[in-house]
Structures are given as C-alpha cells and as structure tokens.
Amino acid sequence: MTAPSAPLLRFITAGSVDDGKSTLIGRLLYDSKTLLTDQLDKLDQAAANGELPDFASLTDGLAAEREQGITIDVAYRYFATPKRKFIIADTPGHEQYTRNMVTGASTADAAIVLVDATRVDFSGDEPVLLPQTKRHSAILKLLGCPNIIVAVNKLDLLGFDQAKYEAITAAYQKLAQQIGLKAAVHFLPISALQGDNIVNASANTPWYQGLPLLPLLESLPVSRTDAVALSAHFPVQRVARQDGSSSDDFRGYQGRLEAGRLNVGDEVKVLPNGQSAKIAEIYNPNSKTDSAEAGEVLTLTLDRDIDISRGNAIVAADSPVAPEQQFQAALCWFDDIPLNTRRKYLLKHTTQTTAVKISEIAYVWDVNTLSQVESATELKLNDIGHVSLKTQQPLNATTYEQNPATGAFILIDEATNHTVAAGMIRGGNQAGDFEI
C-alpha cells in the first residue's frame, strides 16, 4: 500500500537529443518490474540472445519516433512501487519540440535533467554543457519546478570517471546559480542502458554515496504552492440554465476552483465588475455539498442574479486580485514565425480569451552565452524572453509565482489558430527575473 506521506509524484525527463531520456524511463520501468508481461518477455528475450534491450521503444510510441530514433510527442507512463505512485512524462529533447517539453513540465513536481557525459566539451578550462540542457533548465526555473535531479548518463563509456562526473556537476551548479534556479538539485551518476544507479546502487561507482534514482524519486517531497491555502479563485467556464423558464430559473456557474476554499454562505465578488453576492449552493459532479477546495470541478449558484459570463471570475470577498490590462511576462516562443510587436494576438488565460498586443521586448535570453540581449526586436522559435503586454479586456490574474493556475497563459495566432507561446505573468517590472 502506498504510504500516506508519499503522495503521487509527477516527473519529467529533460535534456538534449540522445542524452538517453527514453532509455532511462524504459530501464526504470524494467528494473522496477512495472511493465506488462509481454513487454518484459520481449526485453528478457533480447537479453537472453545477448542483445541490448531497446528500452527507448517502451516510451517512443509514434511510428515517426521509432523510425527517426527521436522523441517527438510527450509520452505519459504510470507506475507504482510499494512506497509511491508516479506519472512520468517523457519529453522530447530536440530543440524543434521545446514546446512539448514545456507542456510536460508545466505540471511536474520533479524533473530528471539528463546530461550525456560523452557529449560534454572538456577541451577548455571547464566543461561546457549542451545548449538544450541550459534551455530546459531555464524553462524549469520559469515554471517553478521544485525538484531537479541531474542524472549524468553514459558514464560507463567514460569508465565511470569520478573526476569528469564531478566536473560536470560543478558546471551545472554554476549554471543553476547563473539562471537563479531555486529548485532542490540532486546529482546522480548513472548508465541508463546498463542500469547503474537506476534502482539499485552500482558497484561501478563506489565513490557515490547517494541514493539510486528510484529510491530518490520515492523520497522527494511534493512542495508546489498549496492552492487550498490561497484566496478563493473560480474562473467561470460556463453559465448553466435548467430550461430557461420562469418557473425554474436555475442559474449555475460552472468551472474549476483554481485556488482556495468555498463554503455555502461565503461572501464573494465577481470580477471584473466587482459586484458582490453570497454562495447559495455548491454542486460537485456527484452531489450537492457544503464546501469545496481548489482543484474541484463545481457548479455554483449565488443568492442573487448578477451579470456573469464565461471568462469572469468568482473570488473571495477579500481577494487581492484586481483586474488589469498591462502586465510583465516571461514568454517561451513556440512558432516558426517570430513574434511581431506590431500585430495583435489572442491571449487565453484560464477561461478568458482576449486580444493582446506585445508592447515591448525587454530582453531575450541567449542560451549559449547565458546573457540578456536587450536590443532584441523579436522572439524566434524556442526563444525565452521578458515582455510587456496589454490586453484588450482586463484579466483576473495573479502572478505565476503566487499561483501557476491563475498566472499562466498562452498566445494564439488569430490567422492560423496556432499556439505560438506560453507565458508566465510576473509581478512588476522584473527585468532581472532570470538572474543571468
């Protein structure tokens, strides 16, 4: 039985192409005996024939992935041990699919950043990490991922060289300091293909005294912002009418409670108009209830009729949230067509969609030099930048740090309907937000 002190852990794999992310996940599932019988038989047969099992095939599910030998989509896998339940998101390492990595990382409690020890440049005074390792680490910082495991992979090809492992960990520690990484960072020497330090401690690394990967994952705390402790915030997704007749004038407001707690009788206000009312009834999908917490899908009724529509928010009477139209935000650009500050985009925040204009690009982060390019006039594919924006309608938003659910948004191209960027609202003018 899963220990009550170890809740479900969502984690992702991150890093550059061919660092061994899919192989690591396959090996973890194989060694922990959490695969289906036919999958285990196939891998056992390969081992019996003297072949190296194709662990990556367990997560690379698309035909294009198997043909090209790269991960394209985000592959989600579930497994459990006696101590904990897990959901794994195996995310792509290729720069072209950075947007997929952002999708997987947005709900992760932890990330395994793989570093291929054979591809680290040792020719200079200090090791040079690959650009995608830096980019993924910066994204994890922006998304507030609380736990990062830096798994230095393929050490078997370097003879499990302790000095090179320690040089790589020092290089990553310097990177973490440069980008202002606030996560708890753990370092781990592994060989995903051979199984060293995946489930059991490896005899090849007697100099490593830490936990292997699986016990480490079982011990990680889930420490994301406690949304229940925040002020109540309920974005309205739909207004439900029973039948519209005067004899049964039921008017329910449906959506998901993104923060706080609501009780029948609570005084609330509606944003952006600021009108107040009391909670008359609360319905969850199964029954009527007296209270609800963040994360629950609800239908609310109020003690009086107020003009409320999709995109409005029902919040606690003392909520600090104030509708605003001008924001500072960090953007991860996903589209092949660069950001154009002279055009409008659509911004989708919780249940609200409105036109938005990017008024200024404060800087773009240079992944190679770890510097801020303040003269940038555009954001290109996979760029990370800090921008100022103005929305056509006021947003009922918090900062991302206060609550990711009410501080995140996406940008949509009106012409193509493509999602062109993911954004995180920052408090004030934080030009030094990346601390690099």
Side-chain angles (χ1 to χ4, degrees):
M1 182 177 293
T2 303
S5 59
L8 171 73
L9 184 81
R10 294 178 172 86
F11 70 93
I12 70 160
T13 55
S16 193
V17 179
D18 293 332
D19 280 350
K21 296 181 295 298
S22 297
T23 300
L24 172 68
I25 296 306
R27 185 87 214 195
L28 181 62
L29 296 173
Y30 177 73
D31 285 357
S32 59
K33 305 302 180 185
T34 53
L35 293 171
L36 298 175
T37 303
D38 60 333
Q39 293 174 315
L40 279 170
D41 290 344
K42 184 178 179 180
L43 295 176
D44 287 341
Q45 184 177 357
N49 294 334
E51 303 171 3
L52 284 175
D54 185 7
F55 295 113
S57 65
L58 298 172
T59 55
D60 288 341
L62 300 178
E65 294 178 329
R66 294 191 296 270
E67 290 167 2
Q68 299 179 51
I70 62 173
T71 301
I72 297 173
D73 200 6
V74 181
Y76 292 94
R77 294 290 182 271
Y78 166 87
F79 79 104
T81 69
K83 295 183 178 180
R84 187 168 226 166
K85 296 178 181 178
F86 301 92
I87 295 177
I88 316 167
D90 181 25
T91 63
H94 197 285
E95 184 177 352
Q96 179 182 353
Y97 305 111
T98 298
R99 57 186 176 273
N100 297 34
M101 179 268 174
V102 174
T103 300
S106 62
T107 57
D109 302 303
I112 303 173
V113 177
L114 270 86
V115 177
D116 183 344
T118 67
R119 299 169 67 200
V120 173
D121 184 359
F122 289 97
S123 61
D125 294 334
E126 56 186 35
V128 178
L129 302 173
L130 293 175
Q132 196 70 335
T133 303
K134 300 175 184 178
R135 180 179 285 107
H136 283 187
S137 298
I139 291 171
L140 291 170
K141 188 265 181 183
L142 285 174
L143 293 173
C145 184
N147 300 288
I148 293 178
I149 299 172
V150 181
V152 182
N153 193 23
K154 304 184 185 180
L155 272 180
D156 54 312
L157 301 179
L158 298 181
F160 293 97
D161 189 319
Q162 181 182 0
K164 287 190 175 179
Y165 166 75
E166 292 177 348
I168 292 171
T169 61
Y172 193 91
Q173 286 173 327
K174 182 176 180 180
L175 168 66
Q177 184 178 15
Q178 288 174 311
I179 65 176
L181 195 62
K182 296 180 176 65
V185 182
H186 308 266
F187 294 97
L188 181 66
I190 67 167
S191 169
L193 190 60
Q194 303 295 339
D196 292 274
N197 289 324
I198 303 301
V199 172
N200 301 304
S202 172
N204 293 313
T205 56
W207 39 265
Y208 173 70
Q209 301 301 313
L211 293 173
L213 178 60
L214 183 58
L216 179 56
L217 289 169
E218 289 175 331
S219 69
L220 289 179
V222 176
S223 57
R224 276 189 172 270
T225 302
D226 183 5
V228 177
L230 302 174
S231 180
H233 194 125
F234 181 81
V236 176
Q237 182 175 349
R238 180 175 180 266
V239 180
R241 299 294 303 276
Q242 187 78 2
D243 56 20
S245 68
S246 57
S247 62
D248 187 4
D249 191 24
F250 179 88
R251 188 187 301 268
Y253 308 104
Q254 299 180 325
R256 183 174 66 186
L257 184 58
E258 299 291 4
R261 179 192 292 270
L262 287 175
N263 303 289
V264 171
D266 281 355
E267 186 84 22
V268 294
K269 61 183 176 182
V270 179
L271 300 179
N273 61 33
Q275 296 187 65
S276 62
K278 289 185 178 180
I279 300 292
E281 298 169 311
I282 302 175
Y283 298 88
N284 60 35
N286 300 314
S287 62
K288 193 174 180 179
T289 183
D290 292 329
S291 64
E293 293 184 349
E296 294 189 57
V297 176
L298 307 170
T299 299
L300 307 179
T301 66
L302 303 180
D303 66 343
R304 68 189 191 92
D305 288 341
I306 298 178
D307 182 13
I308 301 175
S309 59
R310 175 183 171 88
N312 293 163
I314 297 173
V315 301
D318 58 354
S319 173
V321 176
E324 295 184 35
Q325 290 179 267
Q326 297 189 40
F327 299 92
Q328 303 289 318
L331 276 188
C332 297
W333 195 256
F334 295 160
D335 202 36
D336 293 321
I337 302 173
L339 165 67
N340 186 341
T341 57
R342 296 186 298 276
R343 64 176 298 182
K344 286 185 179 179
Y345 296 90
L346 293 178
L347 182 149
K348 188 175 188 308
H349 169 263
T350 60
T351 61
Q352 183 180 8
T353 302
T354 182
V356 65
K357 185 138 184 345
I358 310 300
S359 55
E360 179 191 12
I361 299 175
Y363 63 84
V364 176
W365 183 58
D366 188 322
V367 69
N368 296 301
T369 63
L370 300 180
S371 62
Q372 298 173 5
V373 181
E374 298 183 0
S375 59
T377 58
E378 62 181 13
L379 287 181
K380 301 187 293 295
L381 177 66
N382 297 318
D383 275 349
I384 302 171
H386 187 96
V387 303
S388 300
L389 53 86
K390 183 175 182 180
T391 58
Q392 188 176 63
Q393 299 173 348
L395 297 184
N396 309 309
T398 66
T399 66
Y400 188 85
E401 290 80 3
Q402 290 169 330
N403 186 5
T406 52
F409 62 88
I410 60 172
L411 294 185
I412 302 168
D413 187 312
E414 283 187 289
T416 63
N417 209 34
H418 289 169
T419 299
V420 297
M424 289 135 278
I425 295 172
R426 303 321 224 184
N429 185 8
Q430 299 184 4
D433 180 70
F434 293 108
E435 300 175 31
I436 55 178

